[in-house]
């Protein structure tokens, strides 16, 4: 399945679009609709579907519910996904309250922090002491973790997560984690993303000045 | 400069690494050090530097301070960058408090929201009513905006930002914004990023089951 990484990323995009179409009251969709919304061409959409055995293409388009059902089963989202957050700071807390996760079948079961003031065992999503991470992850068979601690602690926290059984990490710490090939790490670099915006604006401004 | 997009993204990465090296007390660095930390090879690092006229490579390595100074001037970070946040919900608030922005010379000057309860004119970073966005952006000559509202309002808010003079937007709303080629949009799709992690873990699990 590894070679299909890009098409999987596209399938995730189609799914997001389909969910929005459904909210808007659509019942069926054409590959052209999906292509326009995703920014690809419709041949690409049909190719991706056929690669994963979705052959339901007809002149009448795809039934959105049916398509979503197939995509969910391909993407492994037919069962509720459980995840934990490590680091209950500003970013971690924002993610605990991020509504899109739950509406997509992802359940943040708990958060963990070293700071005693952040502990809240009675919360809607409880915040436990970091010491309890290992047992919690093992007992609840959790494979997905979100890392939202400062970079100084990132590697140590990551190692603990992995030793407890976490297999995939969404990392918000601006730190290149060292892990084995058995653990999937996806880095979200918020500063880097904002810096890209700044650079492109600066770059466009200098072009404008140059052409005056 | 457009054709150099990827090398610019690499320069931003080098900069982040150099800042970390400096925190660790390093004074100089070799292209090999940068390559290891960035996950490229050292030829790539030297090629990127020479593309932007950084020719200071010697057997003694690069002086970190000098290199950072050159990178900052290339990347347009020699002056303080001002940005506004629209949407003072969980994500917006987390970004207002995100320390890495300020330490990188990015100043979040204000946030805006439609919810009267979120308004706080006296805050460290003030939160103003959304109605005041246009005047504020114009009067303060702000070009960079962070969009952190729900998808329903995303396009409307984006259009207001652009009409006020914003040229680059970091978008957290799960919505494909329609803009002109004059505005740079960088999308951060938090749900999509977490879904990638879930998919890869699921995919690895099925491979394991298959090989048993």
């Amino acid at each position: 399945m590894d070679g299909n990484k890009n098409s999987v990323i596209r399938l995730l995009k189609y799914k997001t679009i389909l969910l929005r179409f459904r909210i808007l009251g659509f019942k069926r969709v054409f590959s052209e609709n999906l292509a326009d919304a995703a920014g690809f061409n419709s041949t690409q959409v049909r190719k991706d579907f056929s690669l994963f055995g979705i052959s339901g293409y007809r002149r009448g388009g795809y039934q959105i519910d049916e398509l979503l059902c197939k995509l969910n089963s391909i993407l492994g989202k037919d069962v509720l996904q459980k995840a934990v957050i490590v680091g209950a700071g500003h970013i971690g807390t924002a993610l605990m309250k991020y509504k899109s996760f739950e509406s997509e079948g992802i359940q943040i079961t708990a958060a963990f922090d070293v700071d005693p003031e952040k502990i809240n065992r009675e919360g809607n999503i409880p915040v436990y002491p970091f010491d309890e991470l290992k047992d919690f992850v093992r007992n609840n068979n959790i494979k997905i973790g979100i890392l939202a601690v400062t970079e100084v602690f990132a590697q140590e926290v990551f190692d603990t997560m992995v030793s407890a059984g976490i297999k995939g990490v969404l990392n918000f710490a601006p730190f290149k984690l060292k892990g084995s090939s058995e653990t999937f790490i996806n880095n979200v670099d918020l500063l880097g993303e904002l810096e890209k915006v700044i650079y492109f604006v600066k770059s466009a401004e200098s072009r404008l000045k140059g052409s005056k």
Side-chain angles (χ1 to χ4, degrees), chain A:
Chain A
M1 204 65 106
D2 289 334
N4 296 338
K5 182 170 166 176
N6 286 327
S7 50
V8 165
I9 291 170
R10 286 194 300 273
L11 289 191
L12 289 168
K13 196 160 193 177
Y14 301 146
K15 213 193 90 176
T16 312
I17 295 164
L18 288 168
L19 288 167
R20 265 171 233 161
F21 281 170
R22 193 165 65 175
I23 290 169
L24 294 172
F26 287 37
K27 298 283 180 207
R28 55 177 59 198
V29 71
F30 295 85
S31 54
E32 287 79 5
N33 302 135
L34 276 169
D36 289 345
F40 314 134
N41 66 52
S42 58
T43 315
Q44 180 72 66
V45 175
R46 290 191 296 270
K47 204 186 282 178
D48 288 332
F49 286 173
S50 88
L51 183 65
F52 287 93
I54 302 181
S55 51
Y57 185 70
R58 299 181 305 270
R59 287 193 171 263
Y62 300 85
Q63 296 290 334
I64 288 181
D65 283 337
E66 208 180 306
L67 197 49
L68 274 171
C69 189
K70 283 178 185 169
L71 287 176
N72 281 338
S73 111
I74 291 163
L75 297 168
K77 288 282 300 302
D78 42 347
V79 285
L80 190 75
Q81 288 299 327
K82 292 182 288 182
V84 292
I85 295 177
V86 185
H90 302 303
I91 296 287
T93 306
L95 295 170
M96 283 165 69
K97 293 171 179 166
Y98 198 61
K99 283 175 192 149
S100 309
F101 288 161
E102 201 167 339
S103 64
E104 286 301 296
I106 301 167
Q107 188 197 1
I108 306 293
T109 49
F112 296 86
D113 207 289
V114 285
D115 180 355
E117 287 189 10
K118 298 211 172 97
I119 307 309
N120 174 11
R121 293 179 182 275
E122 310 303 320
N124 197 358
I125 296 174
V127 183
Y128 299 122
F130 179 66
D131 291 343
E132 298 179 17
L133 173 73
K134 263 192 167 172
D135 284 343
F136 186 93
V137 165
R138 278 182 190 149
N139 295 341
N140 293 279
N141 193 29
I142 289 169
K143 304 289 178 201
I144 313 290
I146 297 175
L147 203 163
V149 301
T150 52
E151 61 184 288
V152 187
F153 302 111
Q155 185 66 49
E156 190 187 334
V157 167
F158 173 78
D159 292 342
T160 308
M161 290 166 90
V162 171
S163 73
I166 295 282
K167 299 289 184 197
V169 170
L170 185 63
N171 173 36
F172 285 87
F175 183 87
K176 194 174 181 291
L177 299 165
K178 284 166 208 71
S180 78
S181 61
E182 280 167 36
T183 315
F184 179 74
I185 303 169
N186 188 9
N187 296 302
V188 177
D189 175 7
L190 296 174
L191 172 63
E193 298 301 337
L194 186 56
E195 286 191 315
K196 276 181 213 168
V197 177
I198 293 173
Y199 170 75
F200 284 102
V201 170
K202 281 271 160 189
S203 159
E205 278 182 348
S206 9
R207 270 202 307 279
L208 275 178
K209 278 178 199 154
S211 65
K212 264 176 195 166

